[in-house]
Amino acid sequence: MPRYSNELKASVLKRMMPPQSLSVAALSRETGITEVTLYHWRKQARQAGAVMPGNDNQQSDTWDSASKFAVVLETASLNEQALAEYCRGKGLFVEQVRAWRHIVTGMSEHAVPVYLLDTDLPENSPWDRTITDSLYGGDAHYRLCQELVLGFGGFALLQALGHDHIYRYHLNEGHAALLVLALIEAELGGEPRNGAVPPEVIEKVREHCVFTTHTPVPAGHDQFPAELAHQVLGKRRCELVQACQHQGALNMTLLALRGSRFVNGVAMRHGEVSHSLYPGYPIHSITNGVHAVAWAAPAFQGVYDRHLPDWRYDQLSLRYAISIPGAEIWAAHREAKLALVDEVNRETNAGFDRDVFTIGFARRATAYKRGTLVFHDVERLRRLAKQAGPIQFVFAGKAHPQDQEGKEMIRRIHAMRGQLSVAYVANYDMTLARLLCAGVDVWLNTPLPPMEASGTSGMKAAMNGVPSLSVLDGWWVEGHIEGVTGWSIGEKVEACTSPSEEAEACHAAALYDKLEQQVLPCFYKERDRFIEIMKHTIAINGAFFNTQRMVGQYLRNAYRLVEQAVNGA
């Protein structure tokens, strides 16, 4: 861990204060000191009595909501330097503004504002103040009110901030589908006569909207009774819903489909499944990707920086990872694995061994993910571990508060602790996910097909050379090359698709066969070949399943902004 002098720390803290008022993000980019370290220094200074950005006693914390919103409006278009100037003039710290407006800064220094909607304001009724309290709380009425805030409130906020020349609105899932109605209202400029909406208005709105469906799971497609829709939306807006050829219950997915020119699933297979669910609509595919720099472990970032100096800006250059010496790949993997094993043992006292083959499974805990499939036949699992080599399993993930099956799955995994080398690490978050995806030897994925829309955890693992052992569903249909980027569970996409005991037994047997006959022998007896698989995992899957490629596809195929730029729009 780097050590910094007290003089350097003092000079950096001074630059956070007026007149410079530099943000933590700006100082991190300039000095190379991590944001985590800078936030820690700032916290220490506050505890020592210094007045620092983010203090609870700042005068601006007593401002009313209207004054805070005025600051958001006035700073919406300001860059880093102009924002600092504004804050100095107002007696503010940059961080205080960012508590109301979050800025995401990319590798090219381009800043994108993210606005978070909040109804907890004094001028709202007590019940309305709770609408944005809980992501998964409440009943159907509460949920529809949240989606009203997102669709209509989000559009109103963008208009108030001056974002009135937006080429494309991207709806992710049907939760934001009421934006379609907000856009229709804006085009009409008033109340429609007899609920009629000219077809050309709907077509104009469709031209502005892109819709991505993320799951074939029914729970992910909100539907609300017509009576409830009338209660929350009112008669006029329900007439707009009907004008979109939408009768009966308010189906948010169908509203988004009707109101969008371009619709896509999040993997090739998912696009096909979605089209079978909604055959009246053309549904394309843009496979998900992960942020390469965010998910590559520090040890692998160092390797890539040495051998692939452009990888942070051009993820296609990860293709050349095939030329990185195997010894460096393995050394980086050992460093990442040691960090994981230490964390698992510290948090769970599981007694993990850094030399034992480690399987990782971390994702949302829900029934179709089948986190307990690997324990279908514990006796066979014990036998193969004894014959082919020892195994240790690390799990993590949270269940939806109302998902009883997901909670039971977590309990069943915990119960394996006394029978096998198993650890379930609590408080799953991005920090833990980074350790898991980089530190295990193989990433396990066992969804019930075709319920996996894409899956991204295996992509994150691939950024660290960790191959997947997975059912052929979601992204793995595209990323799988047997014995090259990992291994399949089952030999074809259509295998065992019915939710039954036969399907469980079928996939469990295939999983045990693959572990016993290929994966474990490769890890313990053919280390050079295992490292080659790691290199191919980076070169083939890391180079493709990343956000840079994904966003490029959205720009060209969904947003068509590349076309507009060429035409001078």
Side-chain angles (χ1 to χ4, degrees):
M1 179 179 294
R3 295 185 178 274
Y4 302 100
S5 67
N6 291 331
E7 292 79 8
L8 174 61
K9 184 186 299 185
S11 67
V12 170
L13 289 171
K14 183 178 180 180
R15 298 181 67 194
M16 294 184 189
M17 306 291 292
Q20 289 183 285
S21 296
L22 293 181
S23 69
V24 167
L27 283 168
S28 179
R29 290 194 298 272
E30 180 181 331
T31 64
I33 302 171
T34 66
E35 291 189 22
V36 172
T37 298
L38 293 174
Y39 279 120
H40 180 63
W41 289 357
R42 191 179 71 178
K43 180 180 178 181
Q44 286 181 323
R46 288 206 306 267
Q47 292 173 341
V51 178
M52 299 296 296
N55 274 11
D56 294 335
N57 60 355
Q58 293 300 308
Q59 181 180 1
S60 63
D61 287 350
T62 65
W63 292 7
D64 59 28
S65 58
S67 299
K68 291 184 178 181
F69 187 64
V71 172
V72 174
L73 291 176
E74 292 170 7
T75 61
S77 61
L78 300 184
N79 59 25
E80 187 88 32
Q81 182 177 355
L83 180 59
E85 291 286 344
Y86 177 93
C87 290
R88 285 194 288 271
K90 293 284 187 179
L92 294 169
F93 293 108
V94 172
E95 277 77 5
Q96 287 177 290
V97 174
R98 289 197 171 148
W100 313 321
R101 180 188 70 157
H102 183 64
I103 297 293
V104 178
T105 304
M107 292 296 299
S108 63
E109 303 298 316
H110 183 73
V112 177
V114 177
Y115 301 103
L116 305 178
L117 300 172
D118 186 4
T119 63
D120 187 15
L121 302 173
E123 54 266 37
N124 288 336
S125 70
W127 190 89
D128 286 348
R129 294 183 68 165
T130 69
I131 291 175
T132 53
D133 279 0
S134 176
L135 181 61
Y136 295 122
D139 54 12
H141 175 255
Y142 183 83
R143 182 72 170 170
L144 181 53
C145 289
Q146 287 187 320
E147 299 190 2
L148 178 71
V149 169
L150 179 59
F152 282 94
F155 177 70
L157 175 67
L158 292 173
Q159 294 292 298
L161 293 174
H163 298 301
D164 52 4
H165 295 289
I166 296 177
Y167 290 113
R168 302 287 182 265
Y169 295 90
H170 192 163
L171 287 68
N172 281 281
E173 290 294 30
H175 312 314
L178 293 179
L179 171 67
V180 172
L181 303 188
L183 291 171
I184 291 175
E185 280 190 357
E187 286 295 327
L188 291 173
E191 190 166 336
R193 296 178 181 177
N194 301 319
V197 179
E200 59 268 21
V201 169
I202 294 179
E203 287 305 310
K204 187 173 182 180
V205 168
R206 292 184 73 250
E207 185 62 27
H208 285 294
C209 292
V210 169
F211 173 48
T212 299
T213 174
H214 286 264
T215 179
V217 178
H221 299 268
D222 290 333
Q223 297 188 54
F224 303 99
E227 182 179 349
L228 177 60
H230 275 274
Q231 177 187 345
V232 174
L233 301 180
K235 179 184 176 186
R236 179 170 61 86
R237 285 172 174 168
C238 284
E239 289 175 345
L240 295 182
V241 174
Q242 294 171 6
C244 292
Q245 299 177 357
H246 192 93
Q247 305 296 320
L250 174 57
N251 185 312
M252 302 296 278
T253 299
L254 289 178
L255 180 58
L257 287 167
R258 179 69 182 96
S260 302
R261 178 195 57 80
F262 183 93
V263 181
N264 70 281
V266 291
M268 178 185 72
R269 174 66 171 156
H270 178 232
E272 297 167 354
V273 171
S274 298
H275 184 69
S276 69
L277 295 174
Y278 303 101
Y281 299 91
I283 298 179
H284 306 267
S285 296
I286 296 179
T287 303
N288 280 342
V290 299
H291 192 275
V293 178
W295 290 104
F300 277 93
Q301 290 190 26
V303 172
Y304 300 155
D305 286 340
R306 289 193 298 274
H307 292 276
L308 312 170
D310 298 325
W311 79 279
R312 294 176 183 268
Y313 302 92
D314 175 18
Q315 266 89 73
L316 269 177
S317 65
L318 290 173
R319 194 77 173 84
Y320 307 129
I322 201 72
S323 67
I324 298 175
E328 292 192 46
I329 294 291
W330 189 249
H333 175 63
R334 291 286 292 175
E335 183 176 332
K337 187 173 182 179
L338 177 60
L340 172 64
V341 168
D342 285 348
E343 177 69 13
V344 170
N345 288 340
R346 179 167 53 250
E347 292 296 319
T348 70
N349 196 31
F352 269 26
D353 186 331
R354 73 186 67 174
D355 294 319
V356 169
F357 179 71
T358 303
I359 292 178
F361 185 104
R363 50 187 53 84
R364 179 166 52 89
T366 194
Y368 83 87
K369 298 285 189 180
R370 299 193 299 176
T372 55
L373 179 72
V374 70
F375 304 127
H376 184 80
D377 185 343
V378 175
E379 288 306 316
R380 182 174 179 189
L381 191 57
R382 283 183 180 140
R383 288 197 305 272
L384 73 87
K386 184 176 181 179
Q387 296 169 1
I391 310 172
Q392 53 197 16
F393 299 90
V394 56
F395 291 82
K398 300 174 182 178
H400 186 292
Q402 299 175 10
D403 187 348
Q404 299 307 317
E405 287 183 296
K407 294 177 182 178
E408 177 59 27
M409 187 175 73
I410 294 175
R411 285 190 284 267
R412 288 179 60 196
I413 294 171
H414 273 288
M416 290 291 113
R417 178 77 180 265
Q419 304 180 57
L420 298 162
S421 182
V422 176
Y424 204 109
V425 187
N427 301 316
Y428 183 55
D429 59 11
M430 285 185 65
T431 300
L432 177 57
R434 289 188 183 99
L435 287 173
L436 287 163
C437 291
V440 300
D441 296 307
V442 160
W443 196 255
L444 180 65
N445 192 30
T446 53
L448 180 68
M451 304 303 285
E452 184 83 305
S454 172
T456 56
S457 58
M459 301 176 189
K460 298 164 189 172
M463 293 299 170
N464 302 280
V466 174
S468 285
L469 172 60
S470 174
V471 170
L472 285 165
D473 198 16
W475 82 281
W476 191 233
V477 175
E478 304 164 50
H480 163 255
I481 303 176
E482 185 68 14
V484 178
T485 60
W487 301 267
S488 68
I489 300 171
E491 302 305 323
K492 57 182 181 177
V493 178
E494 297 79 14
C496 310
T497 57
S498 59
S500 63
E501 180 61 29
E502 289 76 13
E504 296 290 301
C506 171
H507 274 146
L511 169 57
Y512 298 143
D513 287 346
K514 199 62 62 85
L515 278 172
E516 184 175 25
Q517 298 168 16
Q518 298 190 39
V519 182
L520 287 168
C522 184
F523 178 81
Y524 282 116
K525 298 179 180 179
E526 301 178 76
R527 184 58 50 80
D528 288 344
R529 179 169 169 255
F530 191 87
I531 294 172
E532 284 300 308
I533 292 173
M534 295 182 69
K535 290 165 66 173
H536 280 85
T537 295
I538 300 166
I540 296 174
N541 288 345
F544 182 81
F545 295 100
N546 55 70
T547 50
Q548 190 175 72
R549 181 272 313 159
M550 179 190 73
V551 170
Q553 283 190 273
Y554 276 109
L555 285 172
R556 289 187 298 272
N557 303 342
Y559 308 155
R560 295 188 298 172
L561 295 184
V562 173
E563 172 187 324
Q564 286 189 335
V566 171
N567 294 332

